[in-house]
Amino acid sequence: MAKMEVKTSLLDDMIGVGDMVLLEPLNEDSFINNLKKRFDHSEVYTYIGSVVISINPYRSLPIYTPEKVEEYRNRNFYELSPHIFALSDEAYRSLRDQDKDQCILITGESGAGKTEASKLVMSYVAAVCGKGAEVNQVKEQLLQSNPVLEAFGNAKTVRNDNSSRFGKYMDIEFDFKGDPLGGVISNYLLEKSRVVKQPRGERNFHIFYQILSGASEDFLCKLKLERDFSRYNYLGLDSAKVNGVDDAANFRTVRNAMQIVGFMDHETQSVFEVVAAVLKLGNIEFKPESRVNGLDESKIKDKNELKEICELTGIDQSVLERAFSFRTVEAKQEKVSTTLNVAQAYYARDALAKNLYSRLFSWLVTRINESIKAQTKVRKKVMGVLDIYGFEIFEDNSFEQFIINYCNEKLQQIFIELTLKEEQEEYIREGIEWTHIEYFNNAIICDLIENNQTGILAMLDEECLRPGTVTDDTFLEKLNQVCATHQHFESRMSKCSRFLNDTSLPHSCFRIQHYAGKVMYQVEGFVDKNNDLLYRDLSQAMWKASHSLIKALFPEGNPAKINLKRPPTAGSQFKASVATLMKNLQTKNPNYIRCIKPNDKKAAHIFNDALVCHQIRYLGLLENVRVRRAGYAFRQAYEPCLERYKMLCKQTWPHWRGPARAGVEVLFNELEIPEEEFSFGRSKIFIRNPRTLFKLEDLRKQRLEDLATLIEKIYRGWKCRTRFLLMKKSQIVIASWYRRYAQQKRYQKIKSSAIIVQSYIRGWKARKLLRELKHQKRCNEAATVIAAYWHGTQVRREYRKFFRANAGRKIYEFTLQRLMQKYFLEMKNKMPSLSPIDKNWPVRPYLFLDSTHTELKRIFHLWRCKKYRDQFTDQQKLIYEEKLEASELFKDKKALYPASVGQPFQGAYLEISKNPKYKKLKDAVDEKIIIAEVVNKINRANGKATSRIFLLTKNNVLLADQKSGNIKSEVPLGDVTKVSMSSQNDGFFAVHLKEGSGAAGKGDFLLSSDHLIEMATKLYRTTLSQTKQKLNIEISDEFLVQFRQDKVCVKFIQGSQKNGNIPTCKRKNNRLLEVAVP
C-alpha cells in the first residue's frame, strides 16, 4: 500500500499532458493550449518523448534547489514530472554507465532561455558527479568559463537582455568513473557587426559597459578611458542602462572568473587593453581632402584618439595613420598604392574594429580551452552541450540571419535523422516490426544553400571571387538564373512568372521556404559581409605593434609570410564549421531541449498564443510529435507497467508471482484491449494509441478510488473493533480494581474496629495493673521511710557524741567542694576565644578564688599563645621575631613605630637580581642581601639630601650610587657602634662608626628612609648575630654626629612645613643641623 503513495510516473497528478506524444487530439490548438495550461501552473517543462520543451518563465522558480537535484538523481526519465534535470541525469548516466558519448542540443530563438538551460545542465552534472579537490577545481573552471564568454559574446537585444550573439559548443570530458577531466569549447559566427553598429533599442557587447561601470578610476586611466558612455560612438545610448543589470558587479564577476579559469594578470590586462582600443577606434573621424592630381583622400580630424590608441597598442602613430589613408594592392610582384576616400576610411576603421574584437574573442576561447582541457591522455567519455542561436525571422533579414537559419536547417535535418534512427533502433532491439514513417525531409532546403555547384553559398563565393564589378544586385541576378526553378526559392526577378506580381516580395530581396516557414532576405550587404575584407596595410600595422597579444592576433601581417591567396569567405568558413559540428554530433547520442519564449515583453505570467505558435512551427514540434507517434505513442518496461496497473486484474492483484511480461499479458487479456493497440517487445510493452493509455489511466483511477473505499472500510472496522476491545479490556480492569478497592476498605474498617476493642481491653488491664503497682510502691516507700527513721534514730543514739565534735569541718569541706565544682563548670561554659589579643575573661564569682582566678587566666593565655604560635611557618616566625624585636626597641619610644606595626618587613625593596640596571651592583656584592632600599644621605654642608642605595648583608653595610650602581662606601658590621634617631614621627637616623676604623675616615652617616623601623631592626639583629654584641639604639631629639674631624649636633624641632608632612633639614651653623618635623 505504501508503494502506491510514491510518485512513480509523470502521469501522477499530471497538469495537462506531461508528454505531448499522449496528447489527444493532436493539432496546433490543443498543443498550444496544453503548453499554456502547464505554463499557468508554473510547469515550464513538457516532454515530446525524450525531447524537453522549455518555456522561459521570466522569473525565478524554486525548482532548481539542491533538494531537486537529489530528487532527480538516478531516477527513471519518465518517473517524475518533466524537468531539465531528468534529461541531464539520463544523459549523464548513459555516459557513465553505458559508455555512450552524449550531446545535448539546445535550440530556440533569442530570449527563449537557451543560455540559462545550458547553465542548468552544466550545474546539474557538476552537482551529481564525483567530489575531490582536483575534480572540484575542474568543475569550477568549467562553470566559470560561462561568465567570461557571456561578457564578451552576449549583448542586450530587443528580445533578450542577455542574448548570446555567438554559437557555443562545449565538449565536457569525463573519466571512466564519471568525474570531469576537462573540456573543449568551439564558437561559431560571432556577430561582430554589432561592435560597430547596433539596432535601435539594443546594446553592444556587455564587456564595454562593464569596464566603464565597474573598473576603478586608476584602471580606467591606464586604459585611457572615461566612465561616460556618451563619449564613445560605438556605444548606443538609448539602451546603455538595463533594468535589473548591475554592470559594475558583473565586471567584478568576470575578473574573478578569469582568475579562476587561469588567466594570468598580464593576460587579463592585455585583453582589456584590446577592448579599450576597439572602443576608442569608433571615435576616430575622417575629413575629405583633395590632392593635386584630383583624387580624393581622407585625413583624421583629431589625432588625440589615434595617439592614445597607439600608446595602448604600442603601434607607431605614423604607420597606423597611413594604413587608414592608403591601401596597397599586390599582384605578380607589383605593388600599387591608392588613397582611401572618407567612406573607404570609415569602412577600414570599422573592419579593423570588427576583426580586432572577433579575433580577440577567438583567442579567449582558445585560451580558456588551454586551461580547461584534460591533462591526462587516458580514454575519455564526452558530453557535448550545444547552445546555438535559434531560427530567426525579423522584419529585415540579412546575411547573419541567412547563415543562422542555414545552421538551424542542418540541426533540424540531423534531429529528424537521429530521432527516426533512435526509434528504428529501439523497435529492432525490442523485436517490433518497423513501419515506414512519412515525414518532411528538409535535405532539399539544405542542398539549395550548401550545394557545391548550384548552392546559394557557392554562388555567393563565386560572385565575390570573379573579376569586374561585383555588387549585391549582380549576386541576386545570378541567383535568379540558377535557382529560378527551385520549389523553395522565390524572387520577383527570377524566370518564374508566378512571383512577378507578388508585391510582398521587393525587387532587392529573395525568399526561401525553410522548414519553419518562409523568410525574406535583403540582398544588401551579402557580398561585403561574405568577403569580410581587412586591408593588408591594417594587418601589417597590427603585426608591427609592440603589444604581444595584438601582434599574435594578426599573424598574416608578417611581411615574411605574405600570402597573395585570397582568404576564405565568411560563408565558406561557416559552412565548414557546420559540417564539422554535424559530423561530431552524429557520433554521439543526442538529447534535445527546445526553448520557447512565451512573450516579447520579457514579463512573467504572460503567454502569447500567436508568438508561441510561430515558434512551434519553426521548431517543428508538431512534426516531432507525429514522427514519435507514427509507430507507437507510448512504451514502458514490463516491471513498472505491471506495478502501475496490476490492481485492474484479480490475477495480478495484489502480488504477481511469475515473470513481469506474463503478468502484463494476463492483465491486457483480462481488460480485453484490442491486439492491434499494443505489441510486446523483449523488455517493454508498446501502446499504439494514446487513447488506450488514457483508458488504462481512467480504469486505474477508478480502481484506486474503489481500493481507497475498501481500505477506508477495513480501516474503520479495524478501528471500531480495536476501540471495542480496548473498552472491554478497560471495563474488566476497572471492575477488578474497584472490587479490590471495596475489599480493602471493608478490611480496613474491620481491622480498625478490632484495634479499638483491643485498645480498650489493654487500657483496662494496664490501669488495673498500674493501681496494683502504685499501691505496692506506696507500701514499700512507707516501709523504707519507717526503716530509715528507725535506723537514723538508732545511729544518732549510738554516735551522738562523735558527730557533735566533727560536724562543722565536714560541712565546710563539703560546701567548699561543691563551690569549686560549680566554679569550674561555669568557667567551662564561659571560656573566651583562642585569639591571643582577646582580653575578655569571666568575672570572678567568689572572693576566696581571687588568686586561683588570676593564675587560671595567666595559664589559659599562655596556652592559647602556644597554640597560636604552633601554626606559624619558619618564615612567619622570623617575621614575628623581627616585629617583636622592633616592639622591644621602639614601642613607646619612637612616634613612627605604631605606623610600622601593620606594614610587613620586606627587606628587598629593590629587585637587584632582576633589574638589569643594577647588574654591576649585583656582581660586586657576593653575599646575601638582607635589605636593599633607596635612602637619602644628608649633606653636612647644606643639609640637602642625595639618593643612595642602602644595602645590608650578613657582614657589611654598603652605600651605592642610585644611577650608576657604583659602591660609594662599605662598612663592616663590626665598625658600627651605634644608631641614633629622634623620638618623633620622622625617618632620620645616624649610623655611628668606630673611631679609627677604615670606614670612619669621612665620618658617620646621616640618612633618611621611609622604612626606618625595619632598617634599624634588621641592622640590630644582623649585628647581634654576627658580632654577638647588642647594637646601641639611641632615641633622642638631639644627638651628635661625627663629620670628618667635626662633631655636629642634630636637633629635631616641631614646625609647620611648606612641603606638607615631609620633614626638612637645614644647616644653622657649623655645629648645628636642625630638622623640622611636622
Side-chain angles (χ1 to χ4, degrees), residues 293-397:
N293 56 8
L295 297 176
D296 290 335
E297 66 176 10
S298 61
K299 291 291 183 181
I300 297 175
K301 288 183 181 180
D302 184 2
K303 297 185 179 181
N304 286 331
E305 293 287 351
L306 181 66
K307 179 182 177 184
E308 291 182 351
I309 292 173
C310 292
E311 290 175 357
L312 273 174
T313 57
I315 302 174
D316 185 84
Q317 184 174 341
S318 60
V319 173
L320 187 56
E321 185 177 358
R322 175 175 175 78
F324 280 134
S325 303
F326 294 89
R327 179 187 179 189
T328 302
V329 179
E330 297 184 24
K332 297 181 179 180
Q333 307 298 325
E334 294 183 3
K335 288 185 180 181
V336 179
S337 180
T338 60
T339 59
L340 300 179
N341 58 31
V342 172
Q344 291 172 332
Y346 277 118
Y347 174 83
R349 180 200 69 178
D350 292 345
L352 176 60
K354 291 188 291 184
N355 272 272
L356 193 56
Y357 192 83
S358 174
R359 297 181 188 209
L360 173 65
F361 187 79
S362 299
W363 180 88
L364 280 172
V365 173
T366 305
R367 179 64 184 81
I368 291 173
N369 286 337
E370 290 177 3
S371 295
I372 65 175
K373 67 180 179 182
Q375 302 299 321
T376 58
K377 295 184 179 180
V378 297
R379 184 180 176 276
K380 310 175 188 69
K381 306 175 183 179
V382 178
M383 176 185 289
V385 179
L386 177 64
D387 172 10
I388 202 163
Y389 13 62
F391 200 87
E392 292 188 348
I393 305 176
F394 299 147
E395 291 184 6
D396 296 324
N397 301 289

Side-chain angles (χ1 to χ4, degrees), residues 938-944 1043 1067 1073:
I938 308 302
N939 192 329
R940 72 183 184 86
N942 51 19
K944 293 184 179 180
F1043 284 145
R1067 181 70 180 260
L1073 277 174

Side-chain angles (χ1 to χ4, degrees), residues 618-678:
Y618 77 63
L619 284 173
L621 297 183
L622 277 173
E623 185 83 9
N624 188 0
V625 177
R626 291 191 181 100
V627 169
R628 183 77 180 185
R629 288 177 54 164
Y632 293 90
F634 183 77
R635 72 251 10 232
Q636 192 174 25
Y638 289 121
E639 289 78 4
C641 180
L642 181 62
E643 186 67 29
R644 185 168 183 83
Y645 301 112
K646 64 181 180 180
M647 72 287 297
L648 301 180
C649 176
K650 293 182 179 179
Q651 299 179 50
T652 57
W653 177 257
H655 299 294
W656 173 256
R657 303 297 181 186
R661 173 171 177 166
V664 174
E665 290 177 354
V666 170
L667 174 65
F668 275 56
N669 291 332
E670 179 75 16
L671 295 175
E672 298 181 353
I673 297 175
E675 293 184 359
E676 62 271 12
E677 287 296 321
F678 65 89

Side-chain angles (χ1 to χ4, degrees), residues 1034-1046:
E1034 179 184 355
I1035 299 175
S1036 173
D1037 289 343
E1038 189 175 330
F1039 52 82
L1040 294 175
V1041 178
Q1042 183 77 33
F1043 284 145
R1044 294 188 184 274
Q1045 303 302 324
D1046 301 329

Side-chain angles (χ1 to χ4, degrees), residues 347-604:
Y347 174 83
R349 180 200 69 178
D350 292 345
L352 176 60
K354 291 188 291 184
N355 272 272
L356 193 56
Y357 192 83
S358 174
R359 297 181 188 209
L360 173 65
F361 187 79
S362 299
W363 180 88
L364 280 172
V365 173
T366 305
R367 179 64 184 81
I368 291 173
N369 286 337
E370 290 177 3
S371 295
I372 65 175
K373 67 180 179 182
Q375 302 299 321
T376 58
K377 295 184 179 180
V378 297
R379 184 180 176 276
K380 310 175 188 69
K381 306 175 183 179
V382 178
M383 176 185 289
V385 179
L386 177 64
D387 172 10
I388 202 163
Y389 13 62
F391 200 87
E392 292 188 348
I393 305 176
F394 299 147
E395 291 184 6
D396 296 324
N397 301 289
S398 186
F399 180 75
E400 290 84 2
Q401 283 68 46
F402 176 75
I403 290 294
I404 288 171
N405 293 342
Y406 161 61
C407 181
N408 278 272
E409 286 285 358
K410 295 295 291 183
L411 287 174
Q412 176 69 8
Q413 184 182 24
I414 195 173
F415 169 70
I416 295 295
E417 289 177 358
L418 293 178
T419 301
L420 291 175
K421 182 181 177 183
E422 183 185 358
E423 286 278 309
Q424 187 174 6
E425 286 179 351
E426 184 173 23
Y427 288 157
I428 294 172
R429 187 169 59 250
E430 293 292 331
I432 302 296
E433 183 179 352
W434 169 255
T435 56
H436 180 69
I437 298 173
E438 293 293 337
Y439 66 95
F440 170 68
N441 190 345
N442 67 335
I444 187 171
I445 303 174
C446 295
D447 185 68
L448 170 65
I449 299 172
E450 67 181 3
N451 187 281
N452 291 330
Q453 302 297 328
T454 60
I456 295 175
L457 286 175
M459 286 186 288
L460 181 59
D461 287 348
E462 183 180 333
E463 191 68 13
C464 291
L465 294 174
R466 76 174 177 83
T469 303
V470 177
T471 64
D472 295 320
D473 292 334
T474 60
F475 165 63
L476 183 57
E477 288 176 8
K478 188 153 192 159
L479 286 183
N480 291 332
Q481 292 175 5
V482 178
C483 304
T485 59
H486 199 287
Q487 59 182 345
H488 291 276
F489 178 83
E490 301 173 5
S491 172
R492 287 187 71 177
M493 303 299 292
S494 68
K495 297 177 181 179
C496 185
S497 60
R498 58 196 174 106
F499 300 112
L500 292 176
N501 298 321
D502 188 354
T503 56
S504 65
L505 184 59
H507 290 284
S508 61
C509 299
F510 67 91
R511 189 160 54 205
I512 295 179
Q513 186 176 350
H514 291 281
Y515 78 92
K518 293 183 178 181
V519 182
M520 183 173 65
Y521 297 102
Q522 298 280 352
V523 75
E524 181 183 356
F526 261 63
V527 173
D528 284 342
K529 292 177 181 178
N530 188 51
N531 271 325
D532 194 24
L533 286 178
L534 179 67
Y535 297 152
R536 184 171 289 121
D537 301 77
L538 289 172
S539 296
Q540 291 176 350
M542 291 296 106
W543 187 84
K544 292 177 181 177
S546 60
H547 195 284
S548 58
L549 177 55
I550 291 180
K551 189 166 186 171
L553 295 180
F554 292 88
E556 75 276 12
N558 188 350
K561 298 180 180 179
I562 290 179
N563 185 3
L564 298 181
K565 185 179 179 181
R566 189 182 183 92
T569 61
S572 60
Q573 290 181 27
F574 187 72
K575 178 182 174 182
S577 298
V578 169
T580 304
L581 175 64
M582 298 302 122
K583 185 177 180 181
N584 191 358
L585 294 179
Q586 285 178 339
T587 62
K588 296 178 173 61
N589 185 47
N591 302 271
Y592 297 94
I593 301 173
R594 303 295 206 184
C595 298
I596 292 178
K597 182 171 63 174
N599 60 78
D600 277 328
K601 299 179 180 179
K602 295 179 277 191

